[in-house]
Amino acid sequence: MPAALSICLLAALSANHSALVTPSSSDYNSSLAIYNLNLPIYPAAVTYPSSTEEVAAIVKCAAEGNYKVQAKSGGHSYGNYGWGGESGEIVINLANLDGYSYDDSTGYATVGAGSRLGPVTTALYNSGKRAIAHGSCPDVGIGGHATIGGVGPTSRQWGATIDHVVSATVVLANGRIATVSETENPDLFWALKGAGFSYFVVTEFVFKTEAAPVGGVSYTYAFQGLNASAQSQVFKDFQTFISNPDLSWELYIMMVGLPEVLEITGAFFGSLDDFNALGLEQSFSIPPAANVTVIPNWLDMVAIWATESETAEEPAYFYAKSLDILPDALLSNDTIDSMFEYLTTTPDDALTYELEVQLVSGAMAEIASNATAFPHRDVLYWIFAYASTNGTVSETTIDFLDGFNNVIYDAFPNETFYAYAGYVDPLLTNGPELYWADNLPRLEEIKKEWDPRDVFHNPQTVPVGEGSSGEC
Ligand SMILES: Cc1cc2nc3c(=O)[nH]c(=O)nc-3n(C[C@H](O)[C@H](O)[C@H](O)COP(=O)(O)OP(=O)(O)OC[C@H]3O[C@@H](n4cnc5c(N)ncnc54)[C@H](O)[C@@H]3O)c2cc1C
Ligand SMILES: *[C@@H]1O[C@H](CO)[C@@H](O)[C@H](O)[C@H]1NC(C)=O
Ligand SMILES: *[C@@H]1O[C@H](CO)[C@@H](O)[C@H](O)[C@H]1NC(C)=O
Ligand SMILES: *[C@@H]1O[C@H](CO)[C@@H](O)[C@H](O)[C@H]1NC(C)=O
Ligand SMILES: *[C@@H]1O[C@H](CO)[C@@H](O)[C@H](O)[C@H]1NC(C)=O
Ligand SMILES: *[C@@H]1O[C@H](CO)[C@@H](O)[C@H](O)[C@H]1NC(C)=O
Ligand SMILES: *[C@@H]1O[C@H](CO)[C@@H](O)[C@H](O)[C@H]1NC(C)=O
Ligand SMILES: *[C@@H]1O[C@H](CO)[C@@H](O)[C@H](O)[C@H]1NC(C)=O
């Protein structure tokens, strides 16, 4: 790294040598705790600021030195985008920015952008039993989650994590500190809710909060050792059940599994009687092994999801894909049969492969798809396909997952299947189009206005809009 940059960064970090790690530091390699081992990345520098002002000074140094910047919060990007997503960037590791406070009079919580979901959930609950919507993995960072979407067990009641953001403190590409909200810099506030990594570093969020659920019913219906046609039957029954437009918003439901076991699992935020009245168990034509447990406390419920996601949180060599299924493009029985037949052809090097099908809808669909940068409001369910391998992921495994999505694309040759930017797929050649859909042109305009030199960059950030700009 040029001496001038290193001097600038050190000054930005108040001369705290341990807050600056560069390739010549002895702890450089050990500080690179990347999540997707398949995508090794070597940043130009990893910085550990302790305040918004230090973040601002770092961004100024980077912009002056023509370096790209990404913030790192929980480090759970599928493409290691918190580390830049490509080598040579300046990483702003927000680990020290993990403050928390709660204002009883407004019900708003102020959360440092380097916090993880687990501690945030606990702190909210200890603030008079409050909660926000978020995903189920406690190590995911609020920084990456609340700027991309954040869809989880309570999203059918409350929307996504982004829908709880009322304002944020951000550092812009020119190093200026700003507040974004409905009234201050509203275009940036709109962009924050689904595409934040392209525009700024958030250092602090203010969230509106909800009364935490008292608890509810945790359930798993397991189907062991079924052949492809029987698994297909389970999926057909599942799709029929979840496509009922009157299905209770209190139900969180997903299908996970393969190849040995398929599970329909989730939670119901209501009484056991009301859960039973949904008729979920009766909707299966093949009898499952059932585990239906009443959990009388919100944090105990959250702990169950944390336990279930322990393996997924470990770094691994993997590749994964996501796609949106809309209510007016349900999969036909033939397509479902083809999907499960296709899945019997696991590549030799895939240690685990997994399908995760998550019902969205409910409160998520009440919000207009252009109300936030995140556009996936009308989605009925998401299909995520994932494969991890012991060592570098082979072309065969990548082709296997691509081929799985192709089974579905081929069934709807005229349909575009969008993808969720929370589960980035670095191999997509048209990532921004699929992540942001019809919101992309506006995002490009906002990028041109606020970050025309593309300081905040990873391989799939919003491109700088073309055409005339007001600047000279
Ligand atoms: C095991 C696992 C489970 C998951 N479960 C869910 C789930 O249930 N629901 C769901 O919606 N998603 C889920 N995700 C996806 C997750 O929400 C996204 O990957 C998210 O972006 C990760 O945030 P992070 O802070 O941990 O990651 P990071 O790698 O630190 O950040 C991801 C991206 O966000 C940017 N970013 C981080 N902090 C900031 C900031 N303060 N300001 C601006 N940009 C920032 C980074 O620069 C990077 O581009 C899961 C991911 C994993 C790995
Ligand atoms: C870091 O790892 C790289 C590649 O594995 C190696 O070449 C380099 O010497 C290591 N650096 C340090 C400081 O250990
Ligand atoms: C699959 O299993 C079901 C019962 O579980 C059985 O009726 C069916 O014949 C099997 N199909 C094939 C192709 O083996
Ligand atoms: C049933 O589910 C509960 C809650 O997730 C769990 O604690 C319990 O161990 C499960 N029981 C069995 C037999 O798997
Ligand atoms: C698809 O399968 C379901 C469940 O097996 C069945 O009820 C339905 O009639 C089938 N649909 C068509 C169009 O064949
Ligand atoms: C969203 O689209 C509607 C028309 O479809 C338009 O009236 C509205 O202004 C748009 N909202 C935003 C925030 O762009
Ligand atoms: C993974 O690879 C390592 C060495 O490359 C080997 O020791 C280990 O047994 C492998 N694990 C599996 C599950 O194949
Ligand atoms: C796709 O669009 C083409 C051209 O508009 C049309 O001819 C074709 O019938 C459509 N296919 C389907 C499956 O709708």
Side-chain angles (χ1 to χ4, degrees):
M1 150 175 338
L5 178 66
S6 138
I7 291 165
C8 187
L9 288 175
L10 200 55
L13 291 158
S14 317
N16 176 1
H17 284 263
S18 65
L20 175 63
V21 177
T22 65
S24 57
S25 311
S26 58
D27 54 349
Y28 177 73
N29 285 348
S30 60
S31 73
L32 302 179
I34 57 169
Y35 176 68
N36 188 340
L37 301 176
N38 205 51
L39 302 167
I41 281 168
Y42 299 97
V46 182
T47 59
Y48 296 82
S50 297
S51 66
T52 298
E53 290 69 26
E54 288 191 1
V55 173
I58 295 163
V59 170
K60 267 187 202 151
C61 297
E64 278 162 19
N66 277 319
Y67 280 80
K68 305 295 183 194
V69 175
Q70 284 287 269
K72 189 256 171 188
S73 176
H76 276 64
S77 163
Y78 278 13
N80 299 331
Y81 289 176
W83 302 101
E86 57 197 25
S87 292
E89 296 207 10
I90 291 177
V91 174
I92 302 185
N93 188 320
L94 299 170
N96 297 327
L97 299 187
D98 61 350
Y100 176 86
S101 66
Y102 179 75
D103 181 344
D104 240 337
S105 65
T106 55
Y108 289 178
T110 301
V111 178
S115 310
R116 309 276 181 144
L117 297 183
V120 172
T121 306
T122 307
L124 285 167
Y125 194 71
N126 292 338
S127 307
K129 302 190 175 174
R130 307 302 292 176
I132 58 173
H134 54 73
S136 49
C137 295
D139 282 349
V140 164
I142 199 77
H145 208 60
T147 51
I148 208 81
V151 180
T154 54
S155 288
R156 302 193 65 245
Q157 296 176 78
W158 300 341
T161 312
I162 51 171
D163 301 319
H164 289 76
V165 181
V166 291
S167 71
T169 305
V170 305
V171 172
L172 301 170
N174 59 9
R176 198 161 66 74
I177 297 168
T179 300
V180 301
S181 70
E182 207 67 73
T183 51
E184 291 177 77
N185 303 305
D187 55 344
L188 285 175
F189 185 57
W190 181 83
L192 179 147
K193 297 179 173 193
F197 57 36
S198 303
Y199 300 92
F200 38 61
V201 177
V202 178
T203 58
E204 193 169 87
F205 296 96
V206 177
F207 293 108
K208 64 177 179 184
T209 63
E210 321 265 354
V214 179
V217 178
S218 172
Y219 65 88
T220 299
Y221 295 105
F223 300 86
Q224 287 279 354
L226 300 187
N227 62 28
S229 69
Q231 288 182 337
S232 173
Q233 185 60 48
V234 173
F235 193 98
K236 289 170 195 167
D237 294 339
F238 175 69
Q239 182 180 258
T240 303
F241 185 81
I242 63 173
S243 55
N244 169 6
D246 298 325
L247 189 61
S248 167
W249 290 10
E250 291 176 320
L251 185 71
Y252 160 52
I253 183 165
M254 59 199 304
M255 193 197 83
V256 285
L258 290 173
E260 306 82 13
V261 60
L262 242 174
E263 292 181 348
I264 308 292
T265 185
F268 179 70
F269 302 101
S271 70
L272 182 58
D273 282 348
D274 288 348
F275 173 71
N276 286 332
L278 299 174
L280 175 56
E281 186 160 358
Q282 293 72 40
S283 73
F284 301 122
S285 37
I286 296 171
N291 178 356
V292 177
T293 310
V294 173
I295 308 292
N297 174 290
W298 169 241
L299 288 187
D300 290 343
M301 185 74 104
V302 173
I304 291 171
W305 305 325
T307 309
E308 286 167 357
S309 53
E310 256 162 24
T311 325
E313 291 202 316
E314 291 302 314
Y317 291 89
F318 70 93
Y319 181 54
K321 305 192 71 73
S322 77
L323 61 83
D324 285 2
I325 302 289
L326 302 180
D328 57 3
L330 293 183
L331 302 182
S332 71
N333 288 349
D334 284 349
T335 305
I336 297 170
D337 288 339
S338 309
M339 253 165 60
F340 283 88
E341 234 147 75
Y342 180 85
L343 287 170
T344 59
T345 61
T346 329
D348 289 341
D349 67 332
L351 217 53
T352 50
Y353 77 96
E354 184 171 295
L355 210 59
E356 204 175 293
V357 183
Q358 182 179 356
L359 176 64
V360 186
S361 72
M364 291 289 292
E366 295 289 291
I367 300 170
S369 62
N370 67 350
T372 58
F374 171 98
H376 314 277
R377 299 295 183 172
D378 48 356
V379 171
L380 179 68
Y381 63 88
W382 271 326
I383 302 185
F384 305 117
Y386 171 101
S388 72
T389 54
N390 193 5
T392 307
V393 179
S394 68
E395 277 307 318
T396 321
T397 290
I398 291 168
D399 291 346
F400 170 68
L401 292 183
D402 283 341
F404 173 76
N405 274 18
N406 285 340
V407 171
I408 296 166
Y409 300 155
D410 290 349
F412 297 94
N414 294 342
E415 187 95 29
T416 302
F417 286 89
Y418 294 100
Y420 173 36
Y423 295 105
V424 285
D425 175 353
L427 295 182
L428 286 176
T429 51
N430 57 345
E433 281 90 346
L434 299 188
Y435 298 153
W436 296 295
D438 292 346
N439 291 334
L440 185 58
R442 182 166 171 206
L443 285 169
E444 290 181 357
E445 286 302 304
I446 298 172
K447 178 79 172 173
K448 187 171 70 181
E449 183 175 350
W450 294 94
D451 185 15
R453 290 172 53 216
D454 196 24
V455 173
F456 297 111
H457 178 89
N458 68 47
Q460 294 179 319
T461 29
V462 171
V464 178
E466 285 163 13
S468 65
S469 105
E471 295 176 55
C472 44

